[in-house]
Amino acid sequence: MKRLVFLDVDGTLINENQEIPASARDAIAEAIAAGHTLIICTGRAKPEIYPFLWELGFQGFIGCNGAYGELEGKQVFADFMPASEVTELSDWLESHHAGWMWQGPNTLYPHSFFLDVFRTPEEEGGTPGDWTNFLKQIEPALDWHRPERAFKLTFVFPHGSPVGMQDAMDEFGDRFCILPGSLAPTGFRDMSELTAKGMSKAVGVKHFAEHMGIPLEDVIAFGDSANDREMLEVVGHGIAMGNFKDGIDEVASWITKPVNDGGLAHGFREMGLIG
């Protein structure tokens, strides 16, 4: 059977140093050659996807935790948050001295110290791993103004701030989806991701499955963190990477090896995608 397969990026396709293991690269090439359809499904926006990932031959892309999708280069769906919500959330975050970044289809809108999360070495409180290539990748897409509308918001508070993710949940949790971020900068508090209420990678997966006429029970997905939870739940075969976090093993059909230990290739073999 030719399968529809969705792959998260950070912690699934690539490691903390923004590298894809050779075993994963080979497995993807073999799976595509066998006729399977592989789709990137990530919290990242399109400008955050490295050229070397596009070059692997993915047939489609779901970004911003399910808010945007395209197949064979053509847009399938785009679910924007309106200007009124962008303004309200930005004002609240600014009043609490947060750093944040809005994601649009082709533009990223950072504010304040947000990019310091990636510029600061891990030993000084930054995000684990080497993010130099990420900063180079996104530089052409940066706009330091507020967007009129956007797909997703990522935010973080200064270390020691009395305000954190729980405060955002108390203020906005009944109207928006707020999740722990997939990254953990040690010198900053509570990196979080926010999208429209009900938005998740599962929404994007359902859009694609319906568009392609494939039953969800026949779909495979790989992920490792909180924003993958709904995706792994909704498909027939939800595979958690061995480096999983945020308790997503509770909803996974099966757990493969970690990303740096050939986890993706191992999962592909176990699922019959490759020999």
Side-chain angles (χ1 to χ4, degrees):
M1 178 186 295
K2 306 304 181 186
R3 295 285 196 174
L4 175 60
V5 185
F6 295 90
L7 301 176
D8 170 51
V9 173
D10 293 283
T12 300
L13 268 176
I14 63 175
N15 61 23
E16 67 278 6
N17 291 320
Q18 307 300 284
E19 301 164 335
I20 179 169
S23 61
R25 186 185 296 272
D26 293 343
I28 289 167
E30 185 176 344
I32 291 174
H36 304 296
T37 300
L38 271 57
I39 310 293
I40 291 174
C41 191
T42 179
R44 295 189 181 212
K46 195 172 180 180
E48 298 172 275
I49 304 300
Y50 300 112
F52 69 78
L53 291 179
W54 295 121
E55 292 164 3
L56 294 175
F58 285 99
Q59 292 99 321
F61 170 76
I62 296 173
C64 304
N65 286 355
Y68 175 80
E70 61 180 49
L71 183 65
E72 302 291 356
K74 295 182 179 180
Q75 181 177 303
V76 177
F77 56 90
D79 297 316
F80 286 95
M81 296 171 64
S84 59
E85 294 178 349
V86 171
T87 297
E88 178 186 10
L89 289 161
S90 298
D91 286 347
W92 187 85
L93 289 168
E94 189 160 24
S95 72
H96 290 90
H97 310 291
W100 74 83
M101 185 167 72
W102 287 101
Q103 295 168 317
N106 298 297
T107 309
L108 303 172
Y109 302 87
H111 176 78
S112 185
F113 60 84
F114 182 82
L115 293 182
D116 291 344
V117 169
F118 306 99
R119 294 179 179 135
T120 306
E122 178 182 359
E123 59 271 18
E124 297 176 18
T127 301
D130 184 352
W131 290 80
T132 304
N133 289 335
F134 174 77
L135 292 168
K136 291 179 181 177
Q137 169 69 27
I138 67 172
E139 202 281 329
L142 298 180
D143 185 327
W144 295 91
H145 301 91
R146 286 189 189 182
E148 292 188 3
R149 58 180 187 167
F151 293 132
K152 176 178 163 244
L153 170 69
T154 303
F155 59 93
V156 67
F157 295 97
H159 190 65
S161 170
V163 179
M165 178 178 168
Q166 186 57 53
D167 298 279
M169 289 286 293
D170 292 343
E171 185 76 19
F172 300 109
D174 61 334
R175 296 169 47 212
F176 299 93
C177 176
I178 305 174
L179 297 171
S182 58
L183 306 177
T186 58
F188 301 88
R189 180 180 178 189
D190 286 355
M191 177 171 271
S192 307
E193 300 178 351
L194 182 150
T195 53
K197 189 72 173 178
M199 181 57 64
S200 72
K201 291 183 180 182
V203 173
V205 167
K206 289 177 181 178
H207 275 308
F208 266 69
E210 181 177 353
H211 181 78
M212 300 175 70
I214 297 175
L216 283 169
E217 57 264 30
D218 292 335
V219 175
I220 300 170
F222 289 77
D224 74 300
S225 59
N227 66 14
D228 297 308
R229 187 181 185 94
E230 289 86 354
M231 175 177 71
L232 299 190
E233 280 187 299
V234 77
V235 300
H237 308 278
I239 314 303
M241 301 299 291
N243 46 279
F244 72 85
K245 48 187 175 293
D246 300 315
I248 67 163
D249 59 317
E250 299 169 357
V251 301
S253 307
W254 180 69
I255 301 170
T256 186
K257 297 177 182 179
V259 61
N260 284 324
D261 294 334
L264 199 64
H266 180 63
F268 274 31
R269 282 191 296 271
E270 290 294 317
M271 294 305 303
L273 298 171
I274 61 175

